[in-house]
């Protein structure tokens, strides 16, 4: 099974790893996705942890996707709509079972 690496801002990475952000909105959603694939969370030059992809939504415009998924994304609806406005391949990734990697220097 392949894995997917996504680059995130630090605050979004932390929210996913805490379990409070379960939807990741993407302006350029990957085309090749598999349920159960590992999603590596990359931010500030490091992979901080991973989550499991349990589904996705690539149906409709960015506005359609924002309207359906803004709550799980931890954005306000207007922020989600603005973020996905004009996106050519928008999508929402459904993430579960997130866990943070232990820093190597603590091993």
């Amino acid at each position: 099974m392949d894995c997917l690496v996504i680059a995130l801002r630090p605050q979004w990475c932390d929210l996913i790893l805490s379990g409070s952000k379960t939807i990741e909105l993407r302006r350029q959603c990957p085309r090749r996705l598999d349920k159960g694939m590992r999603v590596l969370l990359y931010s500030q030059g490091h992979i901080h942890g991973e989550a499991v992809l349990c589904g996705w939504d690539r149906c409709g415009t960015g506005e359609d996707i924002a309207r359906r998924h803004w709550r799980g994304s931890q954005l306000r609806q207007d922020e989600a709509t603005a973020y996905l406005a004009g996106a050519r391949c928008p999508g929402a990734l459904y993430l579960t079972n997130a866990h943070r990697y232990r820093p190597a220097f603590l091993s």
Side-chain angles (χ1 to χ4, degrees):
M1 181 183 320
D2 292 331
C3 65
L4 172 67
V5 178
I6 58 174
L8 302 159
R9 291 188 176 165
Q11 67 267 27
W12 303 131
C13 186
D14 288 338
L15 286 172
I16 291 170
L17 292 169
S18 75
S20 59
K21 179 176 167 65
T22 57
I23 304 285
E24 173 59 20
L25 299 178
R26 306 302 288 181
R27 290 182 52 81
Q28 190 73 27
C29 192
R31 288 289 172 208
R32 187 162 182 262
L33 298 171
D34 294 310
K35 284 188 179 180
M37 86 184 328
R38 292 174 36 199
V39 179
L40 303 178
L41 308 173
Y42 176 86
S43 182
Q44 295 183 316
H46 302 284
I47 294 176
H48 295 273
E50 68 181 65
V52 175
L53 182 69
C54 60
W56 57 89
D57 179 0
R58 293 187 298 221
C59 297
T61 66
E63 185 176 284
D64 297 332
I65 292 168
R67 185 174 42 253
R68 288 192 297 270
H69 300 294
W70 65 274
R71 285 181 185 89
S73 74
Q74 295 294 314
L75 293 171
R76 294 188 324 258
Q77 186 172 6
D78 62 320
E79 292 173 323
T81 301
Y83 174 67
L84 293 177
R88 291 181 34 202
C89 299
L93 304 178
Y94 308 156
L95 304 174
T96 188
N97 297 333
H99 73 275
R100 186 179 301 273
Y101 292 157
R102 184 175 178 186
F105 61 87
L106 295 178
S107 299

